């Protein structure tokens, strides 16, 4: 079998240096790779403790690793089936320690090509498999992220149950994709270092990648919450409601995408902290504020007060068994700990508030109760609407929206103003209930994080909330600070600068933006593509 694998790799590997001739290599050589690697690696050993030994087929596996790394995003490969086969074969390699080491031994040119391929912006391509591959290099080093399988609150002991590797196949024996949900963790510090170096050295490349990750994360989580609200409202309206399997499957998929993108963000912050810590880097403040905003919103939605997320967890639906508190809360905590690692470890007696801490503490959605929820000991009172802004909520015009959860209230057949509240949670959460996935040291890190943030909050006496009239109409959280020309519309600097990363036209009137100026008249953005002649957007 190893000889067949080597023979299969040889023709495309030899022709890969011949320019356009590579496009005429029969796709069977590419499509057969993941199946052969499955046979050689997955089916050789079924015990997680005795994984595939590369000494039996070192030459063939090394050749496969070099070829797959170099051509994982080759522009000459145009067939979707061939592209998927390359990623599936890489998935097989990354699920084995021997495969990871083979990738690490491949030539520097191949490694560089693989890293650049995985870090391409996530728009306009099938990014789910690339993100999954990035996480294979990270699994085992993230916060409470040492096992790809979900923990169970009821499992006993401190050792996870060992299971064999398996590869699912369709009825016609074809490959079904990257579904190694039980492959053990084999993190690659080598590729983590390469990823960090690439993102730190190429600032425009890093900005484009992070912008795409944050945009996809915002989309996935928004879709997930919308589906949860629909399920909750249907359950309230209809007793014993039956939900469509497709709806539940999409809901579960959006949740898993959200968690995987958050883990990717955790890895990037850990391996390339300078992107967020150095204010001199362009777009550093913008990316930092977006991260803090997204994580605060995620935590506020899935923790306290009980909302649609807790309602779905308490349903205990078998179709939504992946939707639990642990994966999303641990991923959010991993991001916060990665952002604030240096402050937690060194700043024992803080005298000033850093830009990272300020960005988190001043976010309208941030509450200490969201962090205390992870420990199962909520001590901080939940702030009411009068004390903290919650998006564009207006209790006078949107009485059907819950001011704390932003959930749509269920209509009641009465004219009374009685407020609908969720039932007390059935399934409670605490990190200490998952000893197979969370260590006591990791729980202590969360306690130190909360303690440090409380000390920093006491130094924020100079922070005042803006008046409602001066709030940005886009985010309804930060004050208006900039004006666009030539249309003269306004917003906060964060909203417009984030928008300009994807579009150059005004939020409101779709006029092509020429410049962005602060209230003091300082130009902070100049569109080099703008011409004085009327454009399509201005007509």
């Amino acid at each position: 079998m190893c000889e067949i694998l080597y023979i299969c790799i040889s023709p495309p590997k030899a022709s890969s240096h011949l320019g356009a001739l590579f496009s005429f290599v029969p796709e069977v050589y590419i499509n057969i790779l993941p199946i052969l690697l499955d046979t050689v690696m997955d089916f050789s050993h079924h015990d997680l403790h005795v994984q595939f030994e590369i000494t039996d087929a070192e030459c063939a596996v090394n050749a496969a690793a070099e070829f797959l790394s170099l051509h994982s995003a080759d522009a000459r490969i145009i067939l979707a089936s061939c592209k998927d086969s390359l990623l599936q074969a890489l998935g097989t390699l990354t699920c084995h320690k021997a495969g990871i080491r083979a990738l690490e031994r491949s030539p520097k040119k191949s490694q560089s090509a693989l890293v650049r391929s995985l870090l391409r912006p996530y728009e306009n391509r099938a990014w789910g498999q690339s993100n999954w591959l990035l996480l294979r290099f990270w699994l085992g080093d993230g916060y409470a992220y040492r096992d790809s399988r979900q923990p169970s609150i009821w499992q006993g002991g401190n050792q996870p149950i060992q299971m064999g590797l398996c590869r699912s196949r369709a009825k016609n024996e074809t490959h079904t994709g990257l579904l190694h949900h039980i492959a053990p963790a084999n993190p690659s510090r080598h590729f983590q270092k390469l990823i960090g170096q690439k993102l730190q050295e190429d600032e425009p490349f890093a900005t484009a990648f992070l912008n795409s990750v944050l945009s996809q994360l915002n989309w996935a989580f928004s879709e997930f919450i919308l589906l949860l609200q629909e399920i909750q409202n249907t359950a309230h309206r209809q007793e014993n409601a039956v939900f469509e399997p497709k709806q539940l499957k999409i809901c579960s998929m959006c949740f898993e995408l959200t968690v995987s993108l958050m883990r990717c963000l955790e890895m990037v912050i850990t391996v390339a902290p300078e992107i967020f810590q150095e204010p001199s880097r362009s777009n550093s403040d913008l990316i930092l504020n977006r991260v803090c905003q997204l994580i605060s919103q995620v935590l506020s939605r899935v923790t306290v007060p009980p909302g649609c997320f807790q309602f779905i967890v308490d349903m205990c639906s078998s179709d939504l068994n992946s939707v639990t508190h642990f994966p999303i809360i641990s991923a959010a905590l991993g991001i916060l700990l990665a952002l604030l690692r240096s402050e937690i470890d060194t700043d024992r007696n803080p005298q000033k508030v850093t830009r990272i801490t300020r960005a988190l503490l001043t976010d309208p959605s941030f509450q200490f109760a969201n962090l205390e929820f992870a420990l199962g000991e909520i001590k901080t009172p939940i702030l009411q609407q009068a004390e903290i802004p919650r998006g564009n909520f207006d209790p006078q015009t949107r009485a059907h929206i819950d001011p704390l959860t932003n959930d749509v209230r269920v209509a009641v057949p009465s004219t009374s103003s009685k407020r609908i509240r969720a039932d007390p949670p059935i399934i409670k959460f605490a990190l200490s209930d998952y000893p197979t996935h969370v260590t006591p040291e990791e729980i202590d890190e969360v306690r130190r994080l909360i303690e440090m943030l409380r000390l920093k909050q006491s130094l924020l006496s100079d922070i005042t909330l803006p008046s409602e009239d001066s709030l940005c109409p886009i985010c309804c959280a930060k004050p208006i600070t900039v004006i666009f020309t030539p249309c003269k519309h306004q917003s906060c600097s964060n909203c417009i600068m984030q928008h300009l990363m994807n579009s150059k036209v005004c939020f409101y009137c779709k006029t092509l933006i020429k410049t962005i100026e602060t209230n003091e008249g300082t130009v902070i953005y100049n569109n080099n593509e703008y011409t004085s002649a009327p454009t399509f957007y201005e007509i």
Side-chain angles (χ1 to χ4, degrees), residues 433-453:
D433 290 333
Y434 302 89
T436 59
H437 285 63
V438 188
T439 65
E441 292 75 19
E442 288 174 327
I443 296 177
D444 186 60
E445 282 185 323
V446 178
R447 298 187 190 279
R448 289 192 286 126
L449 170 66
I450 296 174
E451 180 182 356
M452 185 273 291
L453 289 175

Side-chain angles (χ1 to χ4, degrees), residues 15-221:
S15 59
S16 65
H17 303 288
L18 301 178
L21 289 179
F22 184 48
S23 61
F24 297 102
V25 172
E27 61 266 23
V28 65
Y29 287 109
I30 304 298
N31 293 335
I32 202 71
L33 274 179
I35 298 176
L36 289 175
L37 279 173
D38 282 350
T39 306
V40 171
M41 303 187 78
D42 282 3
F43 301 149
S44 297
H45 298 282
H46 291 268
D47 188 339
L48 296 185
H49 294 297
V50 188
Q51 280 203 342
F52 173 76
E53 292 293 337
I54 200 171
T55 52
D56 298 332
E58 184 171 358
C59 185
V61 173
N62 287 345
E66 178 182 350
F67 174 80
L68 293 170
S69 299
L70 188 60
H71 299 294
S72 56
D74 197 310
R76 296 170 293 180
I77 303 176
I78 58 175
L79 293 179
S81 60
C82 291
K83 294 179 181 179
D84 288 342
S85 294
L86 291 176
L87 290 176
Q88 291 164 8
L90 277 169
T92 295
L93 287 178
T94 56
C95 283
H96 293 266
K97 183 181 293 185
I100 290 284
R101 300 299 172 257
L103 290 171
E104 292 175 347
R105 283 194 296 268
S106 62
K108 290 184 178 180
K109 181 181 178 181
S110 297
Q111 295 181 20
S112 178
L114 176 60
V115 169
R116 187 172 186 86
S117 168
L118 297 178
L119 295 179
R120 288 177 298 156
Y122 281 175
E123 287 92 353
N124 303 320
R125 73 181 181 99
W127 52 267
Q129 292 175 319
S130 297
N131 193 81
W132 188 89
L133 288 171
L134 283 173
L135 296 188
R136 288 302 307 175
F137 295 140
W138 180 241
L139 178 63
D141 283 345
Y143 179 83
Y145 191 51
R146 56 186 53 85
D147 197 318
S148 58
R149 292 164 295 172
Q150 281 239 34
S152 172
I153 193 173
W154 296 285
Q155 67 184 20
N158 294 320
Q159 296 297 324
I161 301 173
Q162 300 298 329
M163 300 174 65
L165 283 174
C166 65
R167 168 73 77 173
S168 59
R169 292 180 179 275
K171 292 182 179 180
N172 59 359
E173 294 301 313
T174 59
H175 204 282
T176 58
L178 299 172
L179 298 177
H180 287 275
H181 289 305
I182 60 172
N186 291 303
S188 174
R189 304 288 174 82
H190 177 76
F191 274 100
Q192 290 176 25
K193 183 179 179 181
L194 292 179
I195 291 169
Q197 289 175 348
K198 177 61 180 177
L199 293 175
Q200 292 175 30
E201 294 169 358
D202 194 337
E203 191 167 333
F205 184 82
T207 299
F209 172 70
L210 283 170
N211 178 57
S212 68
V213 171
L214 293 170
S215 297
Q216 296 294 349
L217 174 57
N218 182 63
W219 167 81
F221 187 67

Side-chain angles (χ1 to χ4, degrees), residues 264-274 276 291 335-336 338-339:
C264 176
L265 192 57
E266 177 193 15
M267 179 183 70
V268 171
I269 296 172
T270 303
V271 302
E274 291 81 1
F276 305 87
V291 171
I335 292 173
L336 293 179
L339 276 175

Side-chain angles (χ1 to χ4, degrees), residues 402-413:
D402 190 292
L404 294 178
T405 65
N406 276 350
D407 291 341
V408 178
R409 292 174 177 164
V410 182
V412 286

